[in-house]
């Protein structure tokens, strides 16, 4: 059973466009993390959101945690080729175990 | 500060063999988790060790096992390899001192690409 559903699975956009990817679950998480993974590398942590309704900004990336702490979104403004990669969300439970979504594979075309 | 180191980076094994993968966490990190990543299933949790004790375990058969040493280094072993075990195996370490939200923030190694033929 996949507890975290990410959409879309694939996204190909032109440089300069905006995009939003989603991470949804029926479970409540104590926190939610976003990672980016490039080919041949391990995932790299981008941000952790903890409070329902929380919004965090990291340069052109905006992360939001749903009020009920079950879902999250990542919005990228003016995408650049360097943003290309697999974006993964991961929900954390008090048991310290992380559950990952399958990811959104983003390609930004110059 | 050195990152998470996984060895080897690549492995080719034959069905029925066994394999041991190694992970050295970031200095000071006591929690080590292992994941299997495949194109179809994504990142799936194998197990997590904290202070030499397995604290969490995913839904994998008993052929998958692990351990953690007193210096927090960890190994995972897969016995009687099957073709379906071909995957990228990722190790992640966490600081896990406060037990709060930051406790689960994972720092990943580059992974070991295992191919079973």
């Amino acid at each position: 059973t996949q507890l975290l559903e990410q959409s879309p699975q694939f996204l190909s956009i032109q440089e300069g466009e905006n995009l939003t990817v989603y991470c949804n679950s029926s479970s409540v998480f104590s926190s939610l993390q976003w990672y980016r993974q490039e080919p041949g590398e391990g995932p790299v942590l981008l941000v952790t959101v903890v409070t329902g309704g929380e919004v965090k900004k990291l340069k052109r990336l905006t992360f939001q945690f749903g009020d009920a702490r079950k879902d999250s979104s990542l919005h990228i403004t003016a995408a650049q080729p360097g943003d290309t990669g697999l974006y993964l969300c991961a929900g954390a439970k008090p048991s310290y175990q992380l559950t990952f979504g399958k990811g959104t594979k983003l390609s930004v075309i110059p | 500060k050195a990152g998470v180191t996984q060895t080897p980076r690549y492995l080719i094994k034959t069905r029925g063999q066994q394999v041991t993968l190694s992970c050295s966490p970031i200095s000071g990190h006591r929690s080590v988790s292992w994941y299997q990543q495949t194109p179809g299933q994504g990142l799936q949790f194998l197990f997590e060790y904290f202070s030499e004790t397995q604290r969490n375990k995913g839904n994998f058969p008993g052929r998958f096992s692990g351990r953690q040493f007193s210096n927090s280094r960890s190994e995972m072993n897969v016995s009687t390899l099957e073709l379906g075990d071909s995957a990228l195996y990722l190790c992640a370490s966490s600081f896990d001192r406060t037990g709060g939200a930051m406790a689960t923030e994972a720092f990943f190694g580059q992974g070991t690409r295992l191919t079973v033929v």
Side-chain angles (χ1 to χ4, degrees):
Chain A
T1 303
Q2 192 68 37
L3 294 180
L4 277 169
E5 299 288 340
Q6 288 191 245
S7 61
Q9 273 189 284
F10 303 96
L11 190 55
S12 182
I13 61 169
Q14 295 291 131
E15 182 176 359
E17 291 184 350
N18 301 331
L19 66 114
T20 302
V21 298
Y22 300 93
C23 175
N24 295 299
S25 174
S26 56
S27 297
V28 175
F29 294 102
S30 54
S31 67
L32 198 137
Q33 300 162 17
W34 284 92
Y35 294 80
R36 182 171 71 206
Q37 184 178 21
E38 298 184 22
E41 302 291 330
V44 174
L45 178 67
L46 296 173
V47 79
T48 299
V49 285
V50 180
T51 307
E54 181 178 2
V55 176
K56 277 193 176 177
K57 291 192 175 184
L58 191 69
K59 296 183 181 178
R60 295 176 294 100
L61 278 60
T62 302
F63 304 85
Q64 184 160 10
F65 202 11
D67 291 340
R69 305 207 325 272
K70 293 182 180 180
D71 53 83
S72 181
S73 64
L74 158 60
H75 181 80
I76 300 179
T77 304
Q80 298 177 2
D83 295 327
T84 293
L86 178 68
Y87 287 83
L88 295 159
C89 66
K93 296 264 189 181
S95 62
Y96 302 101
Q97 181 175 326
L98 284 179
T99 300
F100 281 83
K102 289 190 178 182
T104 293
K105 193 168 184 179
L106 172 65
S107 296
V108 182
I109 302 162
Chain B
K1 201 175 192 181
V4 177
T5 303
Q6 289 190 247
T7 56
R9 288 291 311 275
Y10 303 94
L11 264 179
I12 300 176
K13 289 286 188 178
T14 305
R15 270 184 302 176
Q17 287 187 313
Q18 76 163 14
V19 66
T20 298
L21 312 181
S22 180
C23 172
S24 292
I26 292 171
S27 178
H29 285 196
R30 295 190 296 168
S31 168
V32 174
S33 299
W34 288 89
Y35 296 85
Q36 181 195 66
Q37 187 175 32
T38 58
Q41 296 300 318
L43 264 161
Q44 293 191 288
F45 173 75
L46 281 156
F47 27 67
E48 184 241 352
Y49 286 87
F50 179 80
S51 292
E52 301 180 66
T53 300
Q54 188 181 85
R55 191 162 60 174
N56 287 296
K57 189 177 190 309
N59 295 323
F60 277 81
R63 300 185 296 108
F64 293 81
S65 62
R67 59 178 175 168
Q68 187 180 34
F69 302 96
S70 58
N71 61 358
S72 293
R73 191 178 70 84
S74 178
E75 288 181 347
M76 69 163 280
N77 183 276
V78 188
S79 62
T80 320
L81 284 165
E82 300 176 359
L83 294 179
D85 297 333
S86 295
L88 180 66
Y89 289 88
L90 290 160
C91 163
S93 73
S94 300
F95 191 31
D96 194 11
R97 184 185 68 177
T98 64
M102 306 307 175
T104 55
E105 289 182 343
F107 296 84
F108 284 86
Q110 290 182 297
T112 294
R113 171 74 62 186
L114 172 65
T115 302
V116 182
V117 298

